[in-house]
Amino acid sequence: MGEIADMMLEGILCQECGDVIDVESDDSPGHPVTCDGCRRRHRTKAKKPVINAASLGGKLLRTLQAVSGWKSPMYDGMPVVQAPAQLERLRRHGLVRFEQPHNPVHRERAVITAEGLAVLAQVTPPKSK
């Protein structure tokens, strides 16, 4: 192994960023250590914002409704080429997922997730029989 890797394993350097760990004594801890800056960075991760029908916007909401109502004889979901920008935004929010059909001739499709169905349930009331 290299010298830097050995120093990370000994706890002289941070195991994530490689900065020198300030140790009061001359002894190293003997195990990998994370510096205060890396620990702080992991602690302050932003929480995923809650997505609801009101915060989604009309255009994305209509695209999500189109994905849920898309009927195809072979595969679930809507072809991504129908609305690539909107479907990518919905995928980043976790409301749809992209699936590649098993046949490479067919196009990638967007399939609604459970989170997407929950957003749609806020907008459209369940149908009564």
Short mmCIF file of all heavy atoms in Angstrom, two decimals, residues 27-96:
data_model
loop_
_atom_site.label_atom_id
_atom_site.label_comp_id
_atom_site.label_asym_id
_atom_site.label_seq_id
_atom_site.Cartn_x
_atom_site.Cartn_y
_atom_site.Cartn_z
N ASP A 27 0.82 9.99 19.50
CA ASP A 27 0.33 8.67 19.11
C ASP A 27 -0.86 8.80 18.17
O ASP A 27 -1.71 9.66 18.32
CB ASP A 27 -0.10 7.87 20.35
CG ASP A 27 1.06 7.61 21.29
OD1 ASP A 27 2.20 7.54 20.80
OD2 ASP A 27 0.82 7.48 22.51
N SER A 28 -0.91 7.91 17.21
CA SER A 28 -2.07 7.87 16.32
C SER A 28 -3.09 6.91 16.93
O SER A 28 -2.74 6.01 17.69
CB SER A 28 -1.65 7.38 14.93
OG SER A 28 -1.16 6.06 15.00
N PRO A 29 -4.38 7.08 16.61
CA PRO A 29 -5.40 6.23 17.20
C PRO A 29 -5.30 4.77 16.76
O PRO A 29 -5.79 3.88 17.44
CB PRO A 29 -6.72 6.85 16.77
CG PRO A 29 -6.40 7.82 15.72
CD PRO A 29 -4.95 8.14 15.79
N GLY A 30 -4.72 4.51 15.60
CA GLY A 30 -4.58 3.13 15.14
C GLY A 30 -5.76 2.61 14.34
O GLY A 30 -5.80 1.44 13.99
N HIS A 31 -6.72 3.45 14.05
CA HIS A 31 -7.86 3.07 13.24
C HIS A 31 -8.27 4.26 12.39
O HIS A 31 -7.94 5.41 12.71
CB HIS A 31 -9.03 2.59 14.11
CG HIS A 31 -9.45 3.59 15.14
ND1 HIS A 31 -10.32 4.63 14.85
CD2 HIS A 31 -9.12 3.73 16.45
CE1 HIS A 31 -10.50 5.36 15.94
NE2 HIS A 31 -9.77 4.84 16.93
N PRO A 32 -9.00 4.06 11.28
CA PRO A 32 -9.41 5.18 10.43
C PRO A 32 -10.30 6.16 11.19
O PRO A 32 -11.15 5.76 11.99
CB PRO A 32 -10.20 4.51 9.30
CG PRO A 32 -9.71 3.11 9.28
CD PRO A 32 -9.36 2.77 10.69
N VAL A 33 -10.07 7.44 10.95
CA VAL A 33 -10.79 8.51 11.66
C VAL A 33 -11.30 9.51 10.62
O VAL A 33 -10.65 9.75 9.60
CB VAL A 33 -9.85 9.22 12.66
CG1 VAL A 33 -10.56 10.34 13.38
CG2 VAL A 33 -9.29 8.22 13.66
N THR A 34 -12.45 10.10 10.89
CA THR A 34 -13.01 11.15 10.04
C THR A 34 -12.81 12.50 10.73
O THR A 34 -13.04 12.62 11.93
CB THR A 34 -14.51 10.91 9.83
OG1 THR A 34 -14.70 9.59 9.31
CG2 THR A 34 -15.10 11.90 8.84
N CYS A 35 -12.39 13.50 9.95
CA CYS A 35 -12.14 14.82 10.53
C CYS A 35 -13.45 15.53 10.87
O CYS A 35 -14.53 15.11 10.44
CB CYS A 35 -11.30 15.67 9.58
SG CYS A 35 -12.15 16.19 8.08
N ASP A 36 -13.37 16.62 11.62
CA ASP A 36 -14.56 17.36 12.04
C ASP A 36 -15.32 17.94 10.85
O ASP A 36 -16.54 17.98 10.83
CB ASP A 36 -14.18 18.49 13.00
CG ASP A 36 -13.68 17.96 14.33
OD1 ASP A 36 -14.08 16.84 14.71
OD2 ASP A 36 -12.89 18.66 15.00
N GLY A 37 -14.59 18.41 9.84
CA GLY A 37 -15.23 19.00 8.66
C GLY A 37 -16.09 17.99 7.91
O GLY A 37 -17.20 18.28 7.48
N CYS A 38 -15.58 16.77 7.73
CA CYS A 38 -16.35 15.73 7.03
C CYS A 38 -17.54 15.29 7.86
O CYS A 38 -18.63 15.06 7.33
CB CYS A 38 -15.45 14.53 6.71
SG CYS A 38 -14.21 14.90 5.46
N ARG A 39 -17.37 15.20 9.18
CA ARG A 39 -18.49 14.82 10.05
C ARG A 39 -19.58 15.88 9.99
O ARG A 39 -20.77 15.57 9.94
CB ARG A 39 -18.01 14.65 11.49
CG ARG A 39 -17.67 13.22 11.79
CD ARG A 39 -17.41 13.00 13.25
NE ARG A 39 -15.96 12.91 13.40
CZ ARG A 39 -15.22 13.63 14.20
NH1 ARG A 39 -15.77 14.51 15.00
NH2 ARG A 39 -13.93 13.49 14.24
N ARG A 40 -19.18 17.14 9.99
CA ARG A 40 -20.14 18.24 9.92
C ARG A 40 -20.88 18.22 8.59
O ARG A 40 -22.08 18.45 8.52
CB ARG A 40 -19.40 19.56 10.10
CG ARG A 40 -20.27 20.70 10.51
CD ARG A 40 -19.48 21.97 10.84
NE ARG A 40 -18.37 21.73 11.75
CZ ARG A 40 -17.08 21.91 11.44
NH1 ARG A 40 -16.75 22.34 10.24
NH2 ARG A 40 -16.12 21.69 12.31
N ARG A 41 -20.16 17.93 7.52
CA ARG A 41 -20.77 17.89 6.19
C ARG A 41 -21.82 16.78 6.11
O ARG A 41 -22.87 16.94 5.51
CB ARG A 41 -19.69 17.70 5.13
CG ARG A 41 -20.18 17.84 3.73
CD ARG A 41 -19.06 17.87 2.69
NE ARG A 41 -18.00 16.92 2.94
CZ ARG A 41 -16.72 17.27 3.20
NH1 ARG A 41 -16.39 18.53 3.24
NH2 ARG A 41 -15.81 16.36 3.41
N HIS A 42 -21.56 15.64 6.73
CA HIS A 42 -22.52 14.54 6.71
C HIS A 42 -23.74 14.85 7.57
O HIS A 42 -24.84 14.42 7.26
CB HIS A 42 -21.88 13.24 7.21
CG HIS A 42 -20.90 12.68 6.24
ND1 HIS A 42 -21.25 12.28 4.99
CD2 HIS A 42 -19.57 12.45 6.35
CE1 HIS A 42 -20.19 11.83 4.35
NE2 HIS A 42 -19.16 11.92 5.15
N ARG A 43 -23.55 15.61 8.63
CA ARG A 43 -24.65 15.94 9.53
C ARG A 43 -25.63 16.90 8.90
O ARG A 43 -26.82 16.87 9.19
CB ARG A 43 -24.09 16.57 10.81
CG ARG A 43 -24.44 15.79 12.03
CD ARG A 43 -23.98 16.45 13.29
NE ARG A 43 -22.53 16.33 13.41
CZ ARG A 43 -21.71 17.32 13.73
NH1 ARG A 43 -22.19 18.51 14.01
NH2 ARG A 43 -20.42 17.14 13.81
N THR A 44 -25.17 17.81 8.05
CA THR A 44 -26.02 18.87 7.52
C THR A 44 -26.56 18.55 6.14
O THR A 44 -26.78 19.45 5.35
CB THR A 44 -25.25 20.19 7.48
OG1 THR A 44 -24.10 20.02 6.65
CG2 THR A 44 -24.84 20.63 8.85
N LYS A 45 -26.79 17.28 5.83
CA LYS A 45 -27.38 16.94 4.54
C LYS A 45 -28.81 17.47 4.49
O LYS A 45 -29.55 17.37 5.46
CB LYS A 45 -27.39 15.43 4.33
CG LYS A 45 -26.04 14.87 3.98
CD LYS A 45 -26.16 13.41 3.62
CE LYS A 45 -24.81 12.88 3.20
NZ LYS A 45 -24.86 11.46 2.93
N ALA A 46 -29.16 18.03 3.36
CA ALA A 46 -30.50 18.59 3.21
C ALA A 46 -31.52 17.48 3.13
O ALA A 46 -31.30 16.45 2.49
CB ALA A 46 -30.56 19.45 1.96
N LYS A 47 -32.63 17.68 3.79
CA LYS A 47 -33.70 16.70 3.73
C LYS A 47 -34.44 16.85 2.41
O LYS A 47 -34.54 17.94 1.86
CB LYS A 47 -34.67 16.90 4.89
CG LYS A 47 -34.05 16.57 6.22
CD LYS A 47 -35.08 16.66 7.32
CE LYS A 47 -34.45 16.27 8.64
NZ LYS A 47 -35.40 16.35 9.72
N LYS A 48 -34.97 15.76 1.92
CA LYS A 48 -35.71 15.76 0.68
C LYS A 48 -37.02 16.53 0.89
O LYS A 48 -37.75 16.25 1.83
CB LYS A 48 -35.98 14.32 0.27
CG LYS A 48 -36.52 14.17 -1.12
CD LYS A 48 -36.62 12.70 -1.46
CE LYS A 48 -37.14 12.51 -2.85
NZ LYS A 48 -37.25 11.09 -3.18
N PRO A 49 -37.29 17.53 0.05
CA PRO A 49 -38.52 18.28 0.25
C PRO A 49 -39.75 17.41 0.00
O PRO A 49 -39.74 16.50 -0.81
CB PRO A 49 -38.43 19.40 -0.80
CG PRO A 49 -37.50 18.88 -1.82
CD PRO A 49 -36.55 17.97 -1.11
N VAL A 50 -40.80 17.73 0.72
CA VAL A 50 -42.06 16.99 0.58
C VAL A 50 -42.75 17.49 -0.68
O VAL A 50 -42.94 18.69 -0.87
CB VAL A 50 -42.95 17.20 1.82
CG1 VAL A 50 -44.29 16.53 1.62
CG2 VAL A 50 -42.25 16.70 3.06
N ILE A 51 -43.10 16.56 -1.54
CA ILE A 51 -43.77 16.92 -2.79
C ILE A 51 -45.26 16.64 -2.63
O ILE A 51 -45.66 15.54 -2.25
CB ILE A 51 -43.20 16.09 -3.96
CG1 ILE A 51 -41.70 16.33 -4.13
CG2 ILE A 51 -43.93 16.39 -5.25
CD1 ILE A 51 -41.35 17.74 -4.51
N ASN A 52 -46.05 17.65 -2.92
CA ASN A 52 -47.49 17.45 -2.95
C ASN A 52 -48.03 18.05 -4.24
O ASN A 52 -47.29 18.65 -5.02
CB ASN A 52 -48.18 18.04 -1.72
CG ASN A 52 -47.88 19.51 -1.54
OD1 ASN A 52 -47.59 20.20 -2.50
ND2 ASN A 52 -47.95 19.99 -0.32
N ALA A 53 -49.30 17.88 -4.48
CA ALA A 53 -49.89 18.32 -5.74
C ALA A 53 -49.80 19.83 -5.92
O ALA A 53 -49.59 20.32 -7.03
CB ALA A 53 -51.34 17.85 -5.82
N ALA A 54 -49.89 20.58 -4.84
CA ALA A 54 -49.86 22.03 -4.94
C ALA A 54 -48.46 22.54 -5.30
O ALA A 54 -48.30 23.48 -6.05
CB ALA A 54 -50.30 22.66 -3.62
N SER A 55 -47.43 21.89 -4.77
CA SER A 55 -46.06 22.35 -5.04
C SER A 55 -45.52 21.82 -6.36
O SER A 55 -44.49 22.27 -6.82
CB SER A 55 -45.14 21.92 -3.90
OG SER A 55 -44.99 20.52 -3.89
N LEU A 56 -46.21 20.88 -6.97
CA LEU A 56 -45.71 20.26 -8.19
C LEU A 56 -45.88 21.17 -9.40
O LEU A 56 -44.99 21.25 -10.25
CB LEU A 56 -46.43 18.93 -8.41
CG LEU A 56 -45.81 17.97 -9.39
CD1 LEU A 56 -44.40 17.63 -8.99
CD2 LEU A 56 -46.63 16.71 -9.47
N GLY A 57 -46.97 21.86 -9.50
CA GLY A 57 -47.21 22.71 -10.67
C GLY A 57 -48.10 22.01 -11.68
O GLY A 57 -48.13 20.78 -11.75
N GLY A 58 -48.80 22.80 -12.47
CA GLY A 58 -49.79 22.26 -13.39
C GLY A 58 -49.22 21.39 -14.49
O GLY A 58 -49.75 20.33 -14.81
N LYS A 59 -48.11 21.82 -15.10
CA LYS A 59 -47.55 21.08 -16.22
C LYS A 59 -47.04 19.71 -15.79
O LYS A 59 -47.30 18.69 -16.44
CB LYS A 59 -46.42 21.90 -16.84
CG LYS A 59 -45.99 21.45 -18.20
CD LYS A 59 -44.99 22.44 -18.77
CE LYS A 59 -44.89 22.31 -20.25
NZ LYS A 59 -43.98 23.30 -20.82
N LEU A 60 -46.32 19.68 -14.67
CA LEU A 60 -45.81 18.39 -14.18
C LEU A 60 -46.95 17.51 -13.69
O LEU A 60 -46.89 16.28 -13.85
CB LEU A 60 -44.79 18.61 -13.07
CG LEU A 60 -43.44 19.16 -13.50
CD1 LEU A 60 -42.55 19.37 -12.30
CD2 LEU A 60 -42.77 18.24 -14.49
N LEU A 61 -47.96 18.11 -13.12
CA LEU A 61 -49.10 17.33 -12.64
C LEU A 61 -49.84 16.68 -13.82
O LEU A 61 -50.21 15.51 -13.75
CB LEU A 61 -50.05 18.22 -11.84
CG LEU A 61 -51.17 17.52 -11.12
CD1 LEU A 61 -50.63 16.50 -10.13
CD2 LEU A 61 -52.04 18.52 -10.41
N ARG A 62 -50.02 17.43 -14.90
CA ARG A 62 -50.67 16.85 -16.09
C ARG A 62 -49.81 15.74 -16.69
O ARG A 62 -50.34 14.72 -17.15
CB ARG A 62 -50.94 17.95 -17.12
CG ARG A 62 -52.12 18.83 -16.77
CD ARG A 62 -52.52 19.74 -17.92
NE ARG A 62 -51.45 20.62 -18.35
CZ ARG A 62 -51.17 21.81 -17.80
NH1 ARG A 62 -51.89 22.24 -16.79
NH2 ARG A 62 -50.19 22.55 -18.27
N THR A 63 -48.49 15.91 -16.68
CA THR A 63 -47.61 14.86 -17.19
C THR A 63 -47.71 13.62 -16.31
O THR A 63 -47.75 12.49 -16.82
CB THR A 63 -46.15 15.35 -17.24
OG1 THR A 63 -46.10 16.55 -18.03
CG2 THR A 63 -45.25 14.32 -17.86
N LEU A 64 -47.77 13.81 -14.99
CA LEU A 64 -47.90 12.67 -14.08
C LEU A 64 -49.23 11.96 -14.30
O LEU A 64 -49.30 10.72 -14.28
CB LEU A 64 -47.78 13.16 -12.63
CG LEU A 64 -47.71 12.09 -11.56
CD1 LEU A 64 -46.47 11.21 -11.75
CD2 LEU A 64 -47.70 12.72 -10.18
N GLN A 65 -50.30 12.71 -14.54
CA GLN A 65 -51.59 12.10 -14.83
C GLN A 65 -51.54 11.33 -16.15
O GLN A 65 -52.13 10.26 -16.27
CB GLN A 65 -52.68 13.17 -14.89
CG GLN A 65 -53.02 13.73 -13.53
CD GLN A 65 -53.94 14.94 -13.62
OE1 GLN A 65 -53.94 15.65 -14.62
NE2 GLN A 65 -54.68 15.19 -12.55
N ALA A 66 -50.81 11.85 -17.12
CA ALA A 66 -50.67 11.15 -18.41
C ALA A 66 -49.92 9.84 -18.24
O ALA A 66 -50.27 8.83 -18.86
CB ALA A 66 -49.97 12.05 -19.42
N VAL A 67 -48.89 9.85 -17.39
CA VAL A 67 -48.13 8.62 -17.14
C VAL A 67 -49.02 7.57 -16.48
O VAL A 67 -48.98 6.39 -16.84
CB VAL A 67 -46.89 8.90 -16.26
CG1 VAL A 67 -46.24 7.61 -15.80
CG2 VAL A 67 -45.88 9.75 -17.01
N SER A 68 -49.84 8.00 -15.54
CA SER A 68 -50.69 7.02 -14.84
C SER A 68 -51.78 6.47 -15.74
O SER A 68 -52.22 5.34 -15.56
CB SER A 68 -51.31 7.65 -13.59
OG SER A 68 -52.27 8.61 -13.97
N GLY A 69 -52.23 7.26 -16.71
CA GLY A 69 -53.32 6.82 -17.58
C GLY A 69 -52.86 6.23 -18.90
O GLY A 69 -53.69 5.88 -19.74
N TRP A 70 -51.57 6.13 -19.13
CA TRP A 70 -51.06 5.64 -20.41
C TRP A 70 -51.31 4.14 -20.52
O TRP A 70 -50.96 3.37 -19.65
CB TRP A 70 -49.56 5.92 -20.50
CG TRP A 70 -49.03 5.77 -21.89
CD1 TRP A 70 -48.59 4.63 -22.46
CD2 TRP A 70 -48.87 6.79 -22.86
NE1 TRP A 70 -48.17 4.86 -23.72
CE2 TRP A 70 -48.34 6.19 -24.01
CE3 TRP A 70 -49.14 8.14 -22.88
CZ2 TRP A 70 -48.05 6.91 -25.16
CZ3 TRP A 70 -48.85 8.85 -24.02
CH2 TRP A 70 -48.32 8.24 -25.15
N LYS A 71 -51.93 3.73 -21.61
CA LYS A 71 -52.24 2.32 -21.84
C LYS A 71 -51.41 1.82 -23.02
O LYS A 71 -51.36 2.43 -24.07
CB LYS A 71 -53.72 2.12 -22.16
CG LYS A 71 -54.64 2.62 -21.07
CD LYS A 71 -54.49 1.80 -19.81
CE LYS A 71 -55.45 2.31 -18.75
NZ LYS A 71 -55.05 2.03 -17.43
N SER A 72 -50.75 0.70 -22.79
CA SER A 72 -49.97 0.06 -23.83
C SER A 72 -50.20 -1.44 -23.74
O SER A 72 -50.27 -1.98 -22.63
CB SER A 72 -48.49 0.37 -23.64
OG SER A 72 -47.71 -0.41 -24.51
N PRO A 73 -50.32 -2.13 -24.85
CA PRO A 73 -50.57 -3.57 -24.77
C PRO A 73 -49.38 -4.37 -24.25
O PRO A 73 -49.56 -5.45 -23.71
CB PRO A 73 -50.91 -3.96 -26.21
CG PRO A 73 -50.34 -2.88 -27.05
CD PRO A 73 -50.33 -1.64 -26.23
N MET A 74 -48.16 -3.85 -24.39
CA MET A 74 -46.99 -4.64 -24.02
C MET A 74 -46.33 -4.23 -22.71
O MET A 74 -45.93 -5.07 -21.93
CB MET A 74 -45.95 -4.57 -25.14
CG MET A 74 -46.39 -5.23 -26.42
SD MET A 74 -45.14 -5.18 -27.67
CE MET A 74 -44.00 -6.38 -27.04
N TYR A 75 -46.17 -2.92 -22.47
CA TYR A 75 -45.38 -2.45 -21.34
C TYR A 75 -46.15 -1.42 -20.54
O TYR A 75 -47.00 -0.71 -21.07
CB TYR A 75 -44.06 -1.83 -21.82
CG TYR A 75 -43.20 -2.76 -22.62
CD1 TYR A 75 -43.01 -2.57 -23.97
CD2 TYR A 75 -42.58 -3.85 -22.01
CE1 TYR A 75 -42.23 -3.42 -24.71
CE2 TYR A 75 -41.78 -4.70 -22.74
CZ TYR A 75 -41.61 -4.49 -24.09
OH TYR A 75 -40.83 -5.34 -24.80
N ASP A 76 -45.83 -1.32 -19.27
CA ASP A 76 -46.41 -0.29 -18.42
C ASP A 76 -45.71 1.03 -18.71
O ASP A 76 -44.56 1.08 -19.10
CB ASP A 76 -46.21 -0.63 -16.94
CG ASP A 76 -47.07 -1.81 -16.52
OD1 ASP A 76 -48.08 -2.06 -17.19
OD2 ASP A 76 -46.70 -2.46 -15.53
N GLY A 77 -46.40 2.12 -18.44
CA GLY A 77 -45.80 3.44 -18.49
C GLY A 77 -45.82 4.10 -19.85
O GLY A 77 -46.25 3.55 -20.85
N MET A 78 -45.30 5.32 -19.84
CA MET A 78 -45.30 6.20 -21.00
C MET A 78 -43.90 6.26 -21.60
O MET A 78 -42.92 6.31 -20.84
CB MET A 78 -45.72 7.59 -20.50
CG MET A 78 -45.67 8.69 -21.46
SD MET A 78 -46.18 10.19 -20.54
CE MET A 78 -46.34 11.31 -21.88
N PRO A 79 -43.75 6.27 -22.91
CA PRO A 79 -42.42 6.41 -23.49
C PRO A 79 -41.78 7.75 -23.08
O PRO A 79 -42.45 8.78 -23.08
CB PRO A 79 -42.65 6.36 -24.99
CG PRO A 79 -43.98 5.71 -25.15
CD PRO A 79 -44.77 6.04 -23.93
N VAL A 80 -40.53 7.72 -22.71
CA VAL A 80 -39.84 8.92 -22.23
C VAL A 80 -39.75 9.97 -23.32
O VAL A 80 -39.76 11.17 -23.03
CB VAL A 80 -38.44 8.55 -21.67
CG1 VAL A 80 -37.66 9.77 -21.29
CG2 VAL A 80 -38.60 7.63 -20.47
N VAL A 81 -39.73 9.56 -24.58
CA VAL A 81 -39.60 10.53 -25.68
C VAL A 81 -40.84 11.41 -25.81
O VAL A 81 -40.79 12.44 -26.49
CB VAL A 81 -39.31 9.82 -27.02
CG1 VAL A 81 -37.97 9.13 -26.98
CG2 VAL A 81 -40.40 8.87 -27.39
N GLN A 82 -41.95 11.08 -25.18
CA GLN A 82 -43.15 11.89 -25.25
C GLN A 82 -42.98 13.25 -24.56
O GLN A 82 -43.46 14.25 -25.04
CB GLN A 82 -44.34 11.15 -24.63
CG GLN A 82 -44.73 9.89 -25.35
CD GLN A 82 -45.34 10.18 -26.70
OE1 GLN A 82 -46.00 11.19 -26.89
NE2 GLN A 82 -45.10 9.29 -27.64
N ALA A 83 -42.29 13.26 -23.43
CA ALA A 83 -42.07 14.50 -22.66
C ALA A 83 -40.79 14.33 -21.84
O ALA A 83 -40.85 14.18 -20.62
CB ALA A 83 -43.26 14.80 -21.78
N PRO A 84 -39.62 14.34 -22.47
CA PRO A 84 -38.38 14.00 -21.74
C PRO A 84 -38.04 14.95 -20.60
O PRO A 84 -37.61 14.51 -19.53
CB PRO A 84 -37.31 14.01 -22.82
CG PRO A 84 -37.89 14.74 -23.97
CD PRO A 84 -39.37 14.63 -23.87
N ALA A 85 -38.23 16.25 -20.77
CA ALA A 85 -37.85 17.20 -19.72
C ALA A 85 -38.75 17.07 -18.50
O ALA A 85 -38.26 17.02 -17.36
CB ALA A 85 -37.91 18.63 -20.26
N GLN A 86 -40.05 16.98 -18.72
CA GLN A 86 -40.97 16.86 -17.59
C GLN A 86 -40.79 15.52 -16.88
O GLN A 86 -40.83 15.44 -15.65
CB GLN A 86 -42.44 17.01 -18.05
CG GLN A 86 -42.82 18.40 -18.44
CD GLN A 86 -42.52 18.68 -19.90
OE1 GLN A 86 -42.19 17.77 -20.65
NE2 GLN A 86 -42.62 19.92 -20.30
N LEU A 87 -40.59 14.45 -17.65
CA LEU A 87 -40.42 13.13 -17.03
C LEU A 87 -39.12 13.05 -16.24
O LEU A 87 -39.06 12.40 -15.20
CB LEU A 87 -40.49 12.05 -18.10
CG LEU A 87 -41.88 11.84 -18.70
CD1 LEU A 87 -41.81 10.88 -19.88
CD2 LEU A 87 -42.86 11.35 -17.66
N GLU A 88 -38.08 13.73 -16.70
CA GLU A 88 -36.83 13.75 -15.94
C GLU A 88 -37.02 14.48 -14.61
O GLU A 88 -36.52 14.05 -13.58
CB GLU A 88 -35.72 14.41 -16.77
CG GLU A 88 -34.41 14.56 -16.04
CD GLU A 88 -33.80 13.25 -15.56
OE1 GLU A 88 -34.00 12.21 -16.21
OE2 GLU A 88 -33.12 13.27 -14.52
N ARG A 89 -37.76 15.57 -14.63
CA ARG A 89 -38.03 16.29 -13.38
C ARG A 89 -38.87 15.43 -12.42
O ARG A 89 -38.61 15.40 -11.22
CB ARG A 89 -38.74 17.62 -13.67
CG ARG A 89 -37.79 18.63 -14.29
CD ARG A 89 -38.44 19.96 -14.53
NE ARG A 89 -38.89 20.57 -13.29
CZ ARG A 89 -39.79 21.54 -13.25
NH1 ARG A 89 -40.32 22.01 -14.35
NH2 ARG A 89 -40.15 22.06 -12.10
N LEU A 90 -39.84 14.73 -12.96
CA LEU A 90 -40.65 13.84 -12.12
C LEU A 90 -39.80 12.71 -11.56
O LEU A 90 -39.98 12.29 -10.42
CB LEU A 90 -41.82 13.28 -12.92
CG LEU A 90 -42.94 14.27 -13.28
CD1 LEU A 90 -43.93 13.63 -14.24
CD2 LEU A 90 -43.64 14.77 -12.03
N ARG A 91 -38.83 12.21 -12.36
CA ARG A 91 -37.95 11.16 -11.87
C ARG A 91 -37.07 11.66 -10.74
O ARG A 91 -36.86 10.98 -9.75
CB ARG A 91 -37.06 10.63 -13.01
CG ARG A 91 -36.22 9.42 -12.59
CD ARG A 91 -35.17 9.08 -13.61
NE ARG A 91 -34.20 10.12 -13.79
CZ ARG A 91 -33.19 10.39 -12.94
NH1 ARG A 91 -33.04 9.68 -11.85
NH2 ARG A 91 -32.35 11.36 -13.19
N ARG A 92 -36.57 12.89 -10.85
CA ARG A 92 -35.74 13.46 -9.78
C ARG A 92 -36.53 13.64 -8.49
O ARG A 92 -35.97 13.54 -7.40
CB ARG A 92 -35.14 14.80 -10.22
CG ARG A 92 -33.89 14.60 -11.06
CD ARG A 92 -33.19 15.90 -11.33
NE ARG A 92 -33.73 16.41 -12.59
CZ ARG A 92 -34.07 17.67 -12.81
NH1 ARG A 92 -33.91 18.58 -11.89
NH2 ARG A 92 -34.54 18.04 -13.98
N HIS A 93 -37.82 13.89 -8.61
CA HIS A 93 -38.68 14.01 -7.42
C HIS A 93 -39.08 12.64 -6.87
O HIS A 93 -39.66 12.56 -5.78
CB HIS A 93 -39.95 14.81 -7.73
CG HIS A 93 -39.72 16.27 -7.93
ND1 HIS A 93 -39.15 17.08 -6.99
CD2 HIS A 93 -40.00 17.07 -8.98
CE1 HIS A 93 -39.08 18.32 -7.43
NE2 HIS A 93 -39.59 18.33 -8.65
N GLY A 94 -38.82 11.58 -7.61
CA GLY A 94 -39.16 10.23 -7.16
C GLY A 94 -40.60 9.84 -7.46
O GLY A 94 -41.11 8.88 -6.89
N LEU A 95 -41.25 10.55 -8.37
CA LEU A 95 -42.65 10.26 -8.68
C LEU A 95 -42.80 9.25 -9.81
O LEU A 95 -43.85 8.62 -9.93
CB LEU A 95 -43.39 11.55 -9.01
CG LEU A 95 -43.35 12.62 -7.91
CD1 LEU A 95 -44.04 13.89 -8.37
CD2 LEU A 95 -43.96 12.10 -6.64
N VAL A 96 -41.78 9.14 -10.66
CA VAL A 96 -41.75 8.11 -11.70
C VAL A 96 -40.37 7.47 -11.70
O VAL A 96 -39.41 8.03 -11.15
CB VAL A 96 -42.06 8.67 -13.12
CG1 VAL A 96 -43.44 9.27 -13.19
CG2 VAL A 96 -41.02 9.66 -13.56
#
